[in-house]
Amino acid sequence: SSETSKRRGRKFTVSVAIPGSIVSNAQSSELRTYLVGQIARALTIFEVDEVVVFTEDGTTKSFEGEFQGSSKRSDPNVFMARVLQYLETPQYLRKELFPMHPDLRFAGLLNPLDAPHHVRMDTPSPYREGIVARRPTKPGSGVWVNVGLRQCALVGMNIPAGTRVTVKLPLPPKNGQYPRTLRGNAVDPTKPRTQDGIYWGYTTRLAGGLGKVLSECPFKGGYDLTIGTSERGKW
């Protein structure tokens, strides 16, 4: 759209670090989930690009690999990270990306974030989040990607099935009907933000202590400005 074309890309990023222990005081799983839902909503409203959930005891526990919560009572840091990831994911991808888990028992009751990358089926958008479908294609033609439309998009890259990808698509013609074979290109998930200025959700990272929030920064050169606040909101 003309509105999208006029937007200017945003090169900088905004990160927020939150102690996972804040959900420990909630008296039930419903309240813990609701609290994380409110955090996710605030992150989206203020267009935060990265949220870091850290432990307060300074442990150096490794959180590499898939998040694994306890079947009884999850570690609060892992619980928060899992629910944050779930809410950030577009609704049409959640079933395939998130198997059933006790941490997500009440996540489906939360209000949707309505983030820009949670694109409805009938809403035109230059980008869509998708997941590589387990659907055969001709050799060398690429892979089919479920992008939340009535048809999958054909992406000319060899990407493993089950992988989440950001796909750039042509805008639909005036009649709203895409061609029978919809072709798209897999792009870096930061491209909607850096090129078109479209907020495209947040990534979630777990850190074993406040020190690793800074030392394990995924951005080249680290964070260039860091602001710390007390529980009373003072700098």
Side-chain angles (χ1 to χ4, degrees), residues 28-40 79 83 87 106-107 109-111:
S28 66
S29 296
E30 294 97 321
L31 291 176
R32 286 195 294 272
T33 304
Y34 178 78
L35 174 58
V36 179
Q38 293 296 94
I39 293 172
F79 175 88
V83 177
L87 293 174
F106 300 103
L109 302 178
L110 297 175
N111 294 325

Side-chain angles (χ1 to χ4, degrees), residues 29-123:
S29 296
E30 294 97 321
L31 291 176
R32 286 195 294 272
T33 304
Y34 178 78
L35 174 58
V36 179
Q38 293 296 94
I39 293 172
R41 196 164 187 82
L43 295 172
T44 303
I45 291 173
F46 292 99
E47 299 191 353
V48 172
D49 304 294
E50 180 198 29
V51 54
V52 188
V53 181
F54 67 93
T55 63
E56 288 189 290
D57 54 11
T59 58
T60 56
K61 178 181 177 181
S62 173
F63 292 107
E64 293 181 359
E66 296 183 359
F67 296 156
Q68 297 178 351
S70 168
S71 59
K72 296 181 181 179
R73 183 179 176 86
S74 292
D75 177 283
N77 307 283
V78 178
F79 175 88
M80 177 181 284
R82 193 192 309 274
V83 177
L84 285 174
Q85 274 201 330
Y86 178 86
L87 293 174
E88 186 276 337
T89 303
Q91 289 90 330
Y92 58 87
L93 299 180
R94 291 174 180 174
K95 187 176 181 179
E96 294 191 66
L97 291 174
F98 291 88
M100 293 183 64
H101 193 281
D103 287 354
L104 302 175
R105 181 181 178 185
F106 300 103
L109 302 178
L110 297 175
N111 294 325
L113 297 182
D114 281 334
H117 64 300
H118 291 197
V119 187
R120 293 178 174 83
M121 182 179 294
D122 56 353
T123 302

Side-chain angles (χ1 to χ4, degrees), residues 144 149-154 170-173 175-184:
W144 291 105
L149 296 171
R150 293 181 177 85
Q151 62 194 107
C152 289
L154 185 62
L171 291 177
N175 61 9
Q177 298 295 322
Y178 283 107
R180 176 175 296 183
T181 301
L182 175 61
R183 298 182 182 275

Side-chain angles (χ1 to χ4, degrees), residues 149-169:
L149 296 171
R150 293 181 177 85
Q151 62 194 107
C152 289
L154 185 62
V155 174
M157 295 179 65
N158 186 19
I159 307 173
T163 303
R164 177 176 168 175
V165 293
T166 302
V167 180
K168 184 174 177 57
L169 297 169

